């Protein structure tokens, strides 16, 4: 079946512009995460959605970052007034909770370059 | 919330030698511990996991051990091969709750010829 998909795969934007990154999780997966990964670095947690619960936004680095998840499926990460330090790969992941289903499936990522 | 520490941050071994990566976690309620491998330019993928009701799990050349008392778990790779070169992440979570999966900071493993 289809895995986690993300779009666009690459995004080049000018400093100060807003960008939207999209994540389509695996159908039926209730949990969705966004991570940021700078070159050669680890997985920086940004935000976590679980079912109808309030999202865990504790990882968002500033108020320029926001995310929403509509209908418990597709998620959009928005970065306003982009800065050069926002350049990174943004990874989305999803998993189904409960039972044996804790494997987290990652999308291919969106490489964001802010010029 | 949960905090997972991982070390070493980098590890270089010769082909055929063993590699060990260690993680500690802070929340004693955590009961599921997966390991992910991220090859260069690719997305992380699950390679092995362990639940708190067992102390060790093996899958061919890789194994994971868990010490609940000390709150640490380790990844062991034996007879390392060049294709084992990657970044490895450990993680922890409390199953059956809304808590999130928490990752360690990663270990870059380089297997040299």
């Amino acid at each position: 079946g289809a895995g986690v998909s993300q779009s666009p795969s690459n995004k080049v934007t000018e400093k100060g512009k807003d960008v939207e990154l999209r994540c389509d999780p695996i159908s039926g997966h209730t949990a969705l995460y966004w991570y940021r990964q700078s070159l050669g670095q680890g997985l920086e947690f940004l935000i976590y959605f679980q079912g109808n619960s309030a999202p865990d936004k504790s990882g968002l680095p500033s108020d320029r970052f926001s995310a929403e998840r509509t209908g418990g499926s597709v998620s959009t990460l928005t970065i306003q007034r982009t800065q050069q330090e926002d350049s990174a790969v943004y990874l989305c992941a999803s998993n189904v909770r409960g039972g044996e289903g804790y494997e987290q499936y990652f999308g291919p990522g969106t490489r964001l370059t802010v010029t | 919330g949960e905090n997972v520490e991982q070390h070493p941050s980098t590890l270089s071994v010769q082909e055929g030698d063993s590699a060990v990566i260690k993680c500690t976690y802070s929340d004693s309620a955590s009961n599921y511990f997966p390991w992910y491998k991220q090859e260069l330019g690719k997305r992380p993928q699950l390679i092995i996991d362990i639940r708190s009701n067992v102390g060790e799990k093996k899958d061919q050349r890789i194994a994971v051990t868990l010490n609940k008392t000390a709150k640490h778990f380790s990844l062991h790779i034996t007879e390392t091969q060049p294709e084992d070169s990657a970044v490895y992440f450990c993680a922890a979570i409390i199953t059956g709750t809304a808590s999130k999966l928490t990752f360690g900071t990663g270990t870059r493993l380089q297997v040299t010829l």
Side-chain angles (χ1 to χ4, degrees):
Chain A
V4 178
S5 61
Q6 292 185 245
S7 61
S9 56
N10 281 283
K11 177 71 176 179
V12 180
T13 189
E14 292 181 350
K15 177 182 172 181
K17 300 284 189 183
D18 297 352
V19 295
E20 285 190 351
L21 311 180
R22 177 187 170 104
C23 172
D24 282 88
I26 294 172
S27 178
H29 280 194
T30 55
L32 186 149
Y33 298 75
W34 282 98
Y35 299 93
R36 179 168 69 176
Q37 190 170 39
S38 300
L39 188 63
Q41 301 300 308
L43 298 167
E44 179 187 4
F45 166 75
L46 297 177
I47 189 168
Y48 161 56
F49 297 90
Q50 170 53 41
N52 295 320
S53 301
D56 179 343
K57 304 180 182 180
S58 60
L60 294 178
S62 77
D63 59 8
R64 296 186 296 107
F65 288 73
S66 63
E68 63 177 21
R69 188 179 186 191
T70 54
S73 180
V74 172
S75 178
T76 302
L77 176 69
T78 301
I79 309 174
Q80 295 179 312
R81 306 181 301 281
T82 52
Q83 304 295 311
Q84 288 186 329
E85 59 263 30
D86 298 335
S87 296
V89 174
Y90 289 80
L91 290 164
C92 172
S94 72
N95 65 269
V96 60
R97 304 299 297 259
E100 298 298 312
Y102 282 98
E103 178 173 356
Q104 193 166 90
Y105 294 85
F106 285 81
T110 293
R111 182 176 299 279
L112 175 66
T113 303
V114 182
T115 61
Chain B
E2 176 66 276
N3 181 51
V4 178
E5 295 187 354
Q6 182 172 349
H7 62 274
S9 56
T10 60
L11 179 60
S12 182
V13 299
Q14 285 196 324
E15 183 179 6
D17 287 351
S18 295
V20 180
I21 302 170
K22 299 182 180 181
C23 290
T24 60
Y25 59 99
S26 61
D27 193 336
S28 57
S30 289
N31 59 352
Y32 174 69
F33 308 92
W35 286 86
Y36 285 76
K37 176 183 180 182
Q38 186 179 27
E39 297 179 1
L40 189 63
K42 298 192 175 180
R43 70 192 84 179
Q45 291 192 302
L46 179 72
I47 56 170
I48 195 168
D49 56 17
I50 190 167
R51 296 181 185 268
S52 60
N53 58 347
V54 298
E56 184 175 7
K57 184 177 179 181
K58 289 183 178 180
D59 183 2
Q60 299 183 344
R61 294 187 298 106
I62 61 173
V64 57
T65 59
L66 171 65
N67 182 327
K68 287 189 295 183
T69 303
K71 290 189 288 186
H72 68 69
F73 56 112
S74 300
L75 177 71
H76 305 254
I77 306 174
T78 58
E79 300 172 22
T80 53
Q81 300 170 3
E83 53 264 38
D84 295 329
S85 295
V87 178
Y88 291 81
F89 295 96
C90 62
I93 192 172
I94 307 169
T95 63
T97 71
S99 64
K100 69 178 184 288
L101 186 68
T102 300
F103 280 95
T105 49
T107 296
R108 182 174 300 278
L109 173 64
Q110 181 69 45
V111 179
T112 59
L113 298 175

